[in-house]
Amino acid sequence: MEPGQQQAPYLDALCEYARRNPARLHVPGHKGGQGADPGLRHAIGERALSLDIPALTYGVDVGLDPTPFEHAQRLAAEAWGAKRAWFLINGASQGNLAAGLALAHGGEEVVLQRNAHSSTIDALVLSGLRPTFTAPEVDPELGIAHCLTGEALERALAATPGAVGAWVVSPTYFGAVADVRALAAVAHERGVPLIVDEAWGAHLAFHEQLPEHALAAGADLVISSTHKIVGSLTQSAMLHLGHGAGGMIGEDAVDRAVTLTESTSPSALLGASLDAARRHAAVHGRGLLEHTMAALADTREQIRAIDGLDVLDGRLAGRPGVFAYDPLRLAVDVRGVRASGYELAPLLREIDDINLELYGQNVLVAVFGMAERGLPEASRLVSALREAVQRVGIEPGGAQASFAAPPPWGELAMTPREAYLGAQEVVAVARAAGRIAAESLATYPPGIPNVLPGERLTADTLSYVQRTLEQGGSVRGASDRRLRTVRVVVEGRGGSR
Ligand SMILES: Cc1ncc(COP(=O)(O)O)c(C=O)c1O
């Protein structure tokens, strides 16, 4: 660790500003808290409000070079091994939007992992990029999507000679980590940058027993949701440019794209939380992660000892699309009990107010932060799972149930942007086959979008989505969550609605 990592210059600059009791003749109107609603003051405290200052404050983010804000971003770049890091105040979602806009400087086509986050699809709408989708590996037992293989990326790039980038996701919600080195080698062989949505992996840089993080493995642009596991404030995230990206992604293009996608009033509290979280991770991350990993290993053992339950762990590594496993996710395989994940999640809430990050048919996912202490929540989860299984009973042989893969996605008839901006109408699902979708439909499990804007709807896909809903699954992206209707493009007419 570099000695500079002990500092948090941006956080310190905010504290110094508040300490001076300055004349606050600027926004925000609560004036350091005096003008705030007493309920808010009580809830978040005077201190937090006193640090809520606007951008362009002298000595904080304007003034002598480097300003504390620039210094903080440089320390973040150093901590993650990036050429440059940008603080984001609209989450990793903003990182995806900015990545799409930056890529669009180079051309019109991109290769994209099919189960990208919805903000990546929004990036296609914003940038106008035409995607060639490539499927991640779907686990036929667990019914969840893992990562993309180098071979799949190679095929997609070969089919898309005009691609200006390859865009993948790692780790997944469930903790599967891709072979980013192999993916980077494939992309670089074709002269395009590898963009990794590492929203779930900001912590990977801080312990050598964790899977290698994307920048270290050769990624060129990395989207990092710092708030998720490293623990900055919700909505704060970072975008990292790799040292090898030069010539493939322009630093200026990324900079402009970050500016375009953010407010002109970025929250100082969010920025300071990034500066502080970086310091915490760089200085104490190794020790904290060591403790959390050990405690989670113990929790996994306890869950596996419950009849009917299993956990996802390092044993997953080596399956198609899983190079390594991130132990900070606790994914519980519930196929051996007589209830689906959809039924168990509300039961856990009822038993002990257990609130999970995600649940599907076969798997429940609990997320742990970098700095869990003693893991009291993990013990509560284990007890509640024990009681839930007692209530619903076990399903011998349930773990053998296999998962029906979704039908292939439809032809991309227009770009997501054209579909999003084109004239649209809502039609009954019975009349929708053959029409071009104006919205996404993504069934859970396994969470790979079945339909994206611009694709032709097929009868097979529509009935698959309906069957999933009938079986207790869910569909994301649909304006009608029960899929009685679907929003489609009115063909042969330009303009918007
Ligand atoms: C893979 C992936 N990318 C991006 C995001 C967006 O992150 P944020 O909520 O920080 O905007 C998420 C959110 O869950 C995600 O799972």
Side-chain angles (χ1 to χ4, degrees), residues 90-93 96 117 119 169 173 197 199-200 225 227-228:
N90 193 20
S93 301
N96 274 321
H117 186 253
S119 58
V169 182
Y173 258 114
D197 181 346
W200 283 102
S225 201
H227 67 92
K228 287 197 195 312

Side-chain angles (χ1 to χ4, degrees), residues 386-460:
R386 209 173 277 129
E387 183 170 339
V389 174
Q390 249 166 29
R391 285 198 202 175
V392 300
I394 60 167
E395 179 75 69
Q400 270 74 51
S402 68
F403 161 80
W409 56 81
E411 162 223 2
L412 189 74
M414 53 175 63
T415 62
R417 180 182 175 86
E418 287 160 349
Y420 181 87
L421 295 178
Q424 302 170 9
E425 61 180 338
V426 173
V427 296
V429 79
R431 293 195 296 112
R435 301 291 302 267
I436 300 172
E439 62 186 2
S440 309
L441 304 177
T443 51
Y444 282 75
I448 298 180
N450 306 86
V451 174
L452 288 171
E455 287 177 353
R456 260 192 215 287
L457 292 158
T458 67
D460 278 355

